[in-house]
Amino acid sequence: MVSPAGAERTALIDTAAIRHNVRTIAEFVRPAKMMVAVKADGYGHGALTVARAALDAGADWLGTAHVTEALALREAGIEAPVLAWLHTRGTDFAQAIEHHIDLGVSGWELEEVAAAAASLQTPARIHLKIDTGLGRNGSTMAAWPDLLQRVRQHQEQGLISVEGIFTHLAVADEPDRRETDEQLSAYRQALEIAAEHGIVADLRHVANTPAALSRPDAHFDMVRVGVGVYGQSPFADRSAESLGLKPAMELRTTVSNVKVVPAGQGISYGLTHRVDRPSALALIPLGYADGIPRSAVHAPVSINGTLYRSAGRVAMDQFVVDLGPADTDVQVGDEVTIFGGASGISAAEWGTASGTINYEIITRIGARVPREVTDTSAAAA
Ligand SMILES: *Cc1c(COP(=O)(O)O)cnc(C)c1O
């Protein structure tokens, strides 16, 4: 894919890859339904772009962290079921109820959601969240019976309708760890206790992408998948390709300077790297303001289809690539791919080079990088 003339920096988002990934994951999880997580602007890909492509490919639900993210989907005309699960005292539950947004409830939110429902005279649709071991959001097992009792009362008053009961896994990306078994058995126990309180939800959901792909016993009625839909592997030891997933983002730019420097030349702030022979250097106009981690060391970059490595520190706006011996063919304006597309470079490799994971690499691509939406299936037709 070639960026349009003049595009200085582009995150090319391929909707065909998103649709392909939704269908690929659906094959793993059927007959369970699929919620696609489009929080954080669709992991940096553009929430609306991803939402539309995912629904087009058969996704049943959309998931966001914040109500504001869910409301933005509604404002854009998306009518599919949406769940938002991370709230603060400032969250506008009334707006959520009015716009048919389902709400994750871990504890304190219940009374506020019920009050909003009462003022609107419309029942709120909630999904109760139980903490089965992650130690983040969700009701503790100890607080669960009391929460259920309160839910029961609000239900009887017609203020609350329990649509789902869910939990989130801590180590599903390491499929052999026993803590996932422990979380699943705690979850089943929480379902039983709920049933004893007369609360049975149609949508039991637990699995994130790694569990969707590796733990059929975690599928229940629905899976909540994010990273896999973006064509990224959730596993440290498995490539996206080996899972049948296609990266949906290609980060591109062009070479903004080329020059030859003598042996001993230091490169970028801190002079953490010096070339040990006369070398050609290419300047890449992307930096940490664009989401390229400052911590990246010896990170891969494709220029005209050839693999090179970064040299020295990533700065705010730019970093340097060592092209090797001084007689280079690389010129100002040549095509650069940081990851994705035909480069063969994965966001996961950038994660490894930066002490982080592919999730963070794709999600943090900055606002200074325009997203350009493409559909490679249409281009090929
Ligand atoms: C982000 C998120 C997911 C999706 O996780 P992936 O690992 O990207 O599939 C699922 N559930 C919850 C609660 C989340 O916050």
Side-chain angles (χ1 to χ4, degrees), residues 136-178:
R136 233 168 53 174
N137 215 345
S139 168
T140 62
M141 278 294 194
W144 187 237
D146 175 64
L147 178 62
L148 294 166
Q149 224 148 38
R150 290 189 288 129
V151 166
R152 187 64 198 264
Q153 284 161 12
H154 292 306
Q155 222 173 19
E156 280 160 10
Q157 289 161 20
L159 297 177
I160 291 287
S161 155
V162 179
E163 305 294 323
I165 297 180
F166 72 119
T167 192
H168 196 34
L169 298 172
V171 294
D173 55 320
E174 301 171 73
D176 295 331
R177 285 182 65 166
R178 63 180 168 75

Side-chain angles (χ1 to χ4, degrees), residues 27 87 89 98 110 164 216 218 224 272 277 282 300 321 330 337 356:
E27 278 170 31
H87 316 301
R89 292 278 181 206
E98 276 189 299
L110 182 64
R224 303 182 308 270
T272 56
R277 59 184 172 186
V321 165
V330 173
T337 295
T356 183

Side-chain angles (χ1 to χ4, degrees), residues 37 39 43 85 129 136 168 208-210 224-227 359:
K39 61 193 180 187
Y43 289 38
W85 53 71
K129 188 167 195 183
R136 233 168 53 174
H168 196 34
N208 50 5
T209 299
R224 303 182 308 270
V225 288
V227 89
Y359 287 74

Side-chain angles (χ1 to χ4, degrees), residues 47 83 125 127 146 225 227 232 250 261 275 284-285 288 295 310 321 368 373 380:
L83 174 66
R125 297 165 49 98
H127 298 227
D146 175 64
V225 288
V227 89
Q232 301 291 332
E250 178 181 3
V261 297
V275 297
I284 310 299
Y288 59 77
S295 54
S310 70
V321 165
R368 199 164 62 172
V373 179

Side-chain angles (χ1 to χ4, degrees), residues 181-337:
D181 301 309
E182 292 166 5
Q183 284 198 264
L184 291 176
S185 86
Y187 179 68
R188 289 199 189 87
Q189 199 189 335
L191 291 174
E192 277 172 31
I193 297 168
E196 285 162 15
H197 285 75
I199 295 171
V200 178
D202 287 343
L203 281 176
R204 298 163 300 164
H205 48 104
V206 174
N208 50 5
T209 299
L213 299 180
S214 71
R215 296 286 307 227
D217 56 338
H219 290 171
F220 292 94
D221 305 307
M222 181 164 74
V223 300
R224 303 182 308 270
V225 288
V227 89
V229 168
Y230 301 97
Q232 301 291 332
S233 170
F235 305 112
D237 58 355
R238 293 204 61 180
S239 69
E241 195 179 12
S242 76
L243 297 166
L245 302 173
K246 293 184 187 165
M249 181 190 288
E250 178 181 3
L251 181 59
R252 303 176 57 95
T253 185
T254 62
V255 172
S256 73
N257 197 22
V258 177
K259 67 184 177 188
V260 174
V261 297
Q265 171 75 54
I267 296 174
S268 193
Y269 294 131
L271 303 177
T272 56
H273 180 81
R274 286 181 189 277
V275 297
D276 56 8
R277 59 184 172 186
S279 300
L281 304 178
L283 189 62
I284 310 299
L286 286 164
Y288 59 77
D290 306 297
I292 305 295
R294 182 173 178 275
S295 54
V297 173
H298 210 57
V301 172
S302 172
I303 304 177
N304 299 333
T306 301
L307 185 67
Y308 298 96
R309 296 276 164 179
S310 70
R313 273 193 196 144
V314 174
M316 188 181 295
D317 311 305
Q318 53 197 293
F319 67 96
V320 172
V321 165
D322 189 343
L323 301 172
D327 53 341
T328 180
D329 294 335
V330 173
Q331 296 179 356
V332 172
D334 284 357
E335 298 281 341
V336 177
T337 295

